[in-house]
Amino acid sequence: MIKDNVTISLVSTQSDGINTEQTELITRGRLEKKSDRFVISYNETEATGFEGAVTELSVYGDDKVILNRSGEYTSNLIIEKGKKHHCQYGTPYGDIMVGVNSKDISSSLTETGGNVTFKYVIDVNSSYLGDFNISIDVKQ
């Protein structure tokens, strides 16, 4: 089942242990129910710094979120409870490998919308980069 033209409200908070920055995005996108997950997708804009890219989040309940960004700078982050993943993150300076360690995942997504929140820590070469907290509300 696919719901096109849903409203996606995303709040991203990142902290490096000293400074905290919050970004909010409201956009239109798609919500799709697949057999084992929900897929949220939307087009990035100039405001996010990834204009022309498409971001797709695959949400596997409260256990795992996979973030894929296609476009000029591609990324593939796996946030999974109890596991650390080494993932590729695209930047204007080239791709880097980052360690992604999940702190929490909570999803109330249904075919009509809902919320997914996930928290994770990123490191580069085992050096702490920051804590990230993403909350996404999806409404028809």
Side-chain angles (χ1 to χ4, degrees), residues 77-124:
L77 300 181
I78 301 170
I79 300 101
E80 185 173 10
K81 274 190 179 172
K83 294 186 180 178
K84 180 177 182 176
H85 290 274
H86 291 88
C87 305
Q88 175 262 330
Y89 190 83
T91 75
Y93 310 104
D95 291 351
I96 58 173
M97 287 298 265
V98 297
V100 180
N101 197 0
S102 170
K103 291 173 73 177
D104 190 39
I105 301 170
S106 175
S107 174
S108 65
L109 289 174
T110 69
E111 289 85 356
T112 58
N115 175 273
V116 60
T117 300
F118 49 102
K119 300 174 184 179
Y120 56 99
V121 177
I122 290 186
D123 65 69
V124 177

Side-chain angles (χ1 to χ4, degrees), residues 8-12 23-27 42-45 47-48:
I8 299 168
S9 302
L10 184 146
V11 177
S12 171
T23 307
E24 295 183 42
L25 170 71
I26 298 175
T27 189
Y42 59 91
N43 294 321
E44 296 282 356
T45 66
T48 63

Side-chain angles (χ1 to χ4, degrees):
M1 188 208 76
I2 298 173
K3 293 277 187 190
D4 279 321
N5 212 22
V6 295
T7 299
I8 299 168
S9 302
L10 184 146
V11 177
S12 171
T13 305
Q14 59 187 60
S15 173
D16 63 7
I18 299 169
N19 299 307
T20 300
E21 183 178 310
Q22 187 169 359
T23 307
E24 295 183 42
L25 170 71
I26 298 175
T27 189
R28 303 297 281 175
R30 168 185 273 193
L31 174 64
E32 184 176 357
K33 169 71 171 121
K34 297 204 174 187
S35 63
D36 60 345
R37 68 192 179 279
F38 284 95
V39 178
I40 301 166
S41 59
Y42 59 91
N43 294 321
E44 296 282 356
T45 66
E46 184 180 342
T48 63
F50 296 103
E51 185 175 19
V54 175
T55 294
E56 181 178 283
L57 292 137
S58 294
V59 181
Y60 297 81
D62 293 336
D63 297 318
K64 180 169 57 173
V65 175
I66 299 176
L67 183 151
N68 283 302
R69 182 176 294 126
S70 60
E72 188 173 357
Y73 312 114
T74 61
S75 297
N76 178 269
L77 300 181
I78 301 170
I79 300 101
E80 185 173 10
K81 274 190 179 172
K83 294 186 180 178
K84 180 177 182 176
H85 290 274
H86 291 88
C87 305
Q88 175 262 330
Y89 190 83
T91 75
Y93 310 104
D95 291 351
I96 58 173
M97 287 298 265
V98 297
V100 180
N101 197 0
S102 170
K103 291 173 73 177
D104 190 39
I105 301 170
S106 175
S107 174
S108 65
L109 289 174
T110 69
E111 289 85 356
T112 58
N115 175 273
V116 60
T117 300
F118 49 102
K119 300 174 184 179
Y120 56 99
V121 177
I122 290 186
D123 65 69
V124 177
N125 294 329
S126 297
S127 294
Y128 173 78
L129 185 67
D131 281 90
F132 296 79
N133 182 356
I134 311 290
S135 180
I136 301 169
D137 285 309
V138 180
K139 296 179 182 155
Q140 293 188 40

